């Protein structure tokens, strides 16, 4: 088995076992498997690409590792602390998407679709904020800023894919889709509906989104 396949297998196995541990509330298994996810996908990244390592991408993965660690430790009232590393990683990824869009010609249809997506996401964001604004007012502005950045990521990813269907555009679109689902379901579970399915789905979406992100960076560099 090639080194690349070993790294990918380790990543997928770690993700699957982590999700299983979360569903079964098996804390020891979760502590053993979740910390290996980011190192495994980074190793897969190293074995897949021929170009030098992108230091900014390495920082993105490090920030996500920090975020996953915070979530694993389960601090009380951890939402704001948890948002910081993920927000910083989104800002760094946004830089790349802006560069991608700048290379494309303006297209009215693609622009209309992208703007429609942004408006829809802002509508979802406003609905979420209304649901927890009274109980957690300290989170309103952080969530607004966080949501605008994530919405901008989604808008640019949709525009890139609508204008020029490429493999790397597809993977960044899948990354922002899983990220949006993960973040929305997290807010729903933490502050509105304590439904286990929301927690499990959010957890799985977050972990498997790293594969799409790595594929985007690898294919984009080519």
């Amino acid at each position: 088995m090639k080194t690349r396949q070993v790294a990918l297998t380790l990543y997928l196995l770690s993700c699957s076992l982590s999700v299983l541990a979360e569903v079964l509330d098996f804390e020891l298994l979760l502590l053993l498997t979740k910390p290996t996810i980011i190192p495994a996908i980074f190793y897969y990244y190293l074995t897949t690409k021929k170009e030098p390592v992108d230091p900014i991408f390495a920082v993105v993965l490090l920030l996500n590792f920090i975020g996953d660690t915070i979530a694993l430790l389960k601090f009380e009232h951890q939402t704001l602390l948890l948002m910081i590393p993920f927000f910083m990683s989104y800002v760094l990824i946004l830089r790349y998407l802006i560069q991608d869009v700048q290379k494309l010609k303006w297209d009215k249809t693609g622009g209309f679709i992208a703007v429609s997506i942004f408006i829809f996401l802002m509508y979802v964001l406003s609905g979420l904020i209304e649901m927890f604004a009274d109980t957690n007012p300290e989170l309103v502005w952080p969530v607004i800023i966080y949501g605008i950045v994530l919405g901008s990521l989604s808008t640019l990813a949709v525009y890139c894919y609508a204008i020029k269907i490429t493999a790397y555009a597809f993977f960044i679109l899948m990354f922002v889709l899983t990220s949006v689902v993960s973040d929305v379901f997290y807010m729903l579970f933490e502050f509105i509906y304590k439904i286990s399915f929301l927690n499990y789905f959010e957890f799985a979406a977050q972990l498997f989104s790293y594969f799409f992100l790595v594929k985007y960076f690898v294919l984009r560099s080519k």
Side-chain angles (χ1 to χ4, degrees):
M1 186 180 292
K2 295 182 179 179
T3 305
R4 179 171 58 186
Q5 294 174 323
V6 172
L8 182 59
T9 300
L10 177 60
Y11 163 73
L12 294 175
L13 182 62
S14 297
C15 287
S16 301
L17 289 176
S18 294
V19 174
L20 179 63
E22 183 71 14
V23 172
L24 299 178
D25 196 22
F26 192 170
E27 188 172 341
L28 178 60
L29 180 60
L30 188 61
L31 288 171
L32 292 174
T33 56
K34 192 176 182 182
T36 67
I37 291 173
I38 294 293
I41 200 62
F42 184 63
Y43 186 44
Y44 173 73
Y45 167 76
L46 295 176
T47 59
T48 302
K49 71 190 304 297
K50 297 179 180 179
E51 296 79 8
V53 174
D54 187 331
I56 296 181
F57 175 65
V59 173
V60 168
L61 284 185
L62 176 61
L63 289 168
N64 280 272
F65 181 80
I66 293 171
D68 285 346
T69 302
I70 293 172
L72 187 61
L73 295 176
K74 296 181 179 179
F75 295 114
E76 189 176 357
H77 307 299
Q78 67 174 4
T79 300
L80 187 58
L81 182 62
L82 191 62
M83 289 170 60
I84 295 173
F86 290 118
F87 173 78
M88 293 173 64
S89 71
Y90 287 156
V91 171
L92 293 176
I93 298 168
L94 184 61
R95 171 180 175 269
Y96 288 92
L97 269 173
I98 291 174
Q99 293 175 352
D100 293 343
V101 170
Q102 289 175 338
K103 297 175 183 178
L104 301 173
K105 294 181 179 179
W106 169 250
D107 181 84
K108 291 182 179 179
T109 303
F112 174 77
I113 295 173
V115 171
S116 299
I117 293 295
F118 184 80
I119 293 173
F120 171 73
L121 291 176
M122 293 304 100
Y123 173 76
V124 173
L125 177 63
S126 64
L128 285 174
I129 290 173
E130 286 180 5
M131 293 180 181
F132 71 80
D134 293 334
T135 55
N136 299 88
E138 74 283 357
L139 290 176
V140 172
W141 278 108
V143 170
I144 289 175
I145 297 171
Y146 186 99
I148 290 174
V149 171
L150 183 54
S152 300
L153 264 179
S154 305
T155 300
L156 296 180
V158 168
Y159 183 78
C160 285
Y161 188 73
I163 300 305
K164 190 175 182 180
I165 300 176
T166 60
Y168 76 85
F170 168 77
F171 283 113
I172 192 61
L173 181 63
M174 292 302 298
F175 170 75
V176 297
L177 176 61
T178 50
S179 296
V180 168
V181 169
S182 175
D183 290 340
V184 170
F185 277 31
Y186 174 85
M187 297 302 293
L188 287 174
F189 177 77
E190 286 294 318
F191 301 108
I192 304 167
Y193 307 115
K194 288 292 183 179
I195 302 175
S196 298
F197 167 77
L198 295 175
N199 181 41
Y200 303 149
F201 200 84
E202 170 271 322
F203 186 82
Q206 174 66 34
L207 299 186
F208 285 103
S209 69
Y210 299 139
F211 172 76
F212 302 126
L213 185 61
V214 165
K215 295 294 290 185
Y216 164 70
F217 273 92
V218 170
L219 294 173
R220 183 182 186 275
S221 65
K222 296 179 181 180

